[in-house]
Amino acid sequence: CLYGARLNSAATPPTVTLGTAACALQSINDSAACCLTAAHPAGAANLSVLVEGVGYAVQQAAVQPFTYAAPPQLLRVSPTVGHVGSQLELVGSGLSGSGGAPAVSLGGVVCAVVQANDTHIRCTAASSPLGSVPIAVTVDGTGLASGSLSFTFRAVVTAIAPINGSVGGGLPLTLSGFGFDQLGAPAVTVDGHACEIVTESATEIVCAAPALV
């Protein structure tokens, strides 16, 4: 945000530029203007504020130039495939920013950060539609990290109970996991034989074990 006087004195909002890039206004009044920085090479950037019909705002000598820091980088993610509840580890550089916790999203859905430092972030995946989604990391005081990484959500079976039974079939089998509600019409087989589904939810499928004799 920029602070001064008569910043909003014209009918048209002023034009703010940092270095060679425009800084898109987000809010403004007579004494303060807040804008969103655009991509720009690292280094110091001179500030200019052009008020329509008035000209460029005069800057006091004490005003320091804005410095664009080298962007934080994302280098890799592990695992690359998982489900709701999976813990992701993101590796990169400059991820600690100004000291506040970074914000991580998977396809726009928050991945709750549980641990972070300058080179590593660990977060827990929330529920999301199945498929591949982009990973975005916003670093406090710096902005979006560069790097094109993705994570793929898949349905997964984590447990089966019971794990043995009669070859005559008829025993209810309970499959526990995640993402079952997004499979449309799931089909379960046991040794190639259909296991007729009795009930299903996002995290559990119960089916009647088929006869194998």
Side-chain angles (χ1 to χ4, degrees):
C1 290
L2 319 172
Y3 301 95
R6 300 180 62 196
L7 297 176
N8 196 30
S9 59
T12 302
T15 300
V16 181
T17 305
L18 287 171
T20 59
C23 192
L25 278 175
Q26 304 297 295
S27 64
I28 186 168
N29 57 41
D30 276 349
S31 60
C34 294
C35 62
L36 187 64
T37 58
H40 191 281
N46 290 324
L47 165 69
S48 68
V49 179
L50 178 59
V51 180
E52 184 181 11
V54 178
Y56 286 97
V58 176
Q59 297 184 41
Q60 295 181 351
V63 175
Q64 298 295 313
F66 181 83
T67 300
Y68 282 92
Q73 290 186 311
L74 288 178
L75 300 177
R76 63 181 184 272
V77 58
S78 179
T80 58
V81 176
H83 51 81
V84 55
S86 291
Q87 188 167 99
L88 283 67
E89 182 174 25
L90 306 173
V91 178
S93 62
L95 302 178
S96 60
S98 300
V104 181
S105 69
L106 306 176
V109 178
V110 172
C111 187
V113 174
V114 295
Q115 184 179 3
N117 58 38
D118 199 55
T119 58
H120 290 75
I121 298 174
R122 289 184 180 177
C123 66
T124 304
S127 180
S128 176
L130 302 184
S132 179
V133 296
I135 299 172
V137 175
T138 302
V139 178
D140 183 50
T142 306
L144 282 172
S146 64
S148 179
L149 299 179
S150 62
F151 180 77
T152 300
F153 282 92
R154 289 184 180 171
V156 61
V157 176
T158 57
I160 301 174
I163 57 173
N164 52 54
S166 169
V167 295
L171 183 71
L173 293 181
T174 300
L175 284 66
S176 301
F178 301 96
F180 299 152
D181 58 328
Q182 299 185 52
L183 295 176
V188 180
T189 61
V190 177
D191 196 29
H193 298 268
C195 187
E196 183 179 354
I197 294 177
V198 179
T199 63
E200 60 180 287
S201 68
T203 58
E204 184 178 276
I205 293 176
V206 177
C207 67
L212 301 181
V213 293

